[in-house]
Amino acid sequence: MPTRRALVIGAGVGGLATTYRLLRSDWDVVVLEPPAQPLPTGLPTTLTDFGVDAARRLGLLPALVRRRQPRCDLVEVDATGLPLAVRPRPSARNPAVTEHDVLAVLDDAIGGAASRRREDLPVLLADDCGVTAVSPNGDTDWFDVVVGADGACADIGDAVFPDTCDAPRPRWSTVSRPIGMASSCAVSMDLVTRTIRLHPLRDGGSAVSFAWRDLPGVHWPEQFADLGWLVPSLLSHVDGVPCAPVVRAWPGRWTHRQLALLGDSAWHLGPHAGRGISLSIGGAELLGDALDIFPDGAEALSWWERTVRPYVRRARIRPRGLGDREPKRDSPGAASADVKR
């Protein structure tokens, strides 16, 4: 039987997990890394059972466990730093890992088995048999299946699914950095238009992440200047250019003929959506299973979408916490006022 060929666009968790899963079924895989690919965050996230079970079946779990970050309680605070709730540390079965950790494990597992190219997004021409990819320099290549597994593939989603958009995605920008500050627990401040995360790292430091919905003409640290508690100190440890992902409308479907969207290009869950890593690993495993089971690629992708959608719907549900109300920004001491208790 001739070797099946796949083009995977994106070298994030979704792209590399898909690549690894297809290699296990003897696919010839080409990984395309767009120059504008978002940088991975350094904030630990706990793998859900969906991600853990998939990682175990793929043989990745032992390596992920070796790179796990500290398990700790998560303290939810309001805009003044007042503790509102404590979520107990996750089960030892569910390791906390960073995106860097997962990418390192996947890179080691793939090795040199896949061809990797760094170039701009191609034009994709799908038919009932496969997909022709036309690169910016005019070269063409043919694939049985194309998987857009990178946030930049929202552009491909617009081109392939122009009339199937559910609703606009919220536009968030993020800055995430490791800092030297030690922390004994994870902390979450969730407001309506701004969020902050702090999580200890295995090296003794911590990772901090700021996310916000942009205010035009306002430098990003100023968007947190009215908040008290540890926020000024955390800001003093962080510099750098925000990562503003490419944002498009939600695609109403993730598959078309022999093309599928996976990861942020399909189900972007928000700036601190820890379940995104688990969904990418589990979704990649299910995609490989579908292509193994169904001889027709379009039928396989359709089954895969129907199967993964319930997991994504559950991950999108964000409980509204006690700290969700924003403090007023137009008066002194606003950080300690107008907080829903």
Side-chain angles (χ1 to χ4, degrees), residues 117 119-123 125 132-142:
R117 305 173 185 169
E119 57 187 57
D120 291 326
L121 297 174
V123 175
L125 306 173
T132 300
V134 184
S135 67
N137 64 11
D139 293 341
T140 63
D141 205 349
W142 188 89

Side-chain angles (χ1 to χ4, degrees), residues 30 62 69 270 289:
V30 175
Q69 303 292 337
D289 292 348

Side-chain angles (χ1 to χ4, degrees), residues 68-70 178-184 198-207:
R68 66 184 180 272
Q69 303 292 337
I179 60 176
M181 179 185 298
S183 175
S184 60
L198 181 70
H199 197 291
L201 299 175
R202 60 176 176 265
D203 63 5
S206 300

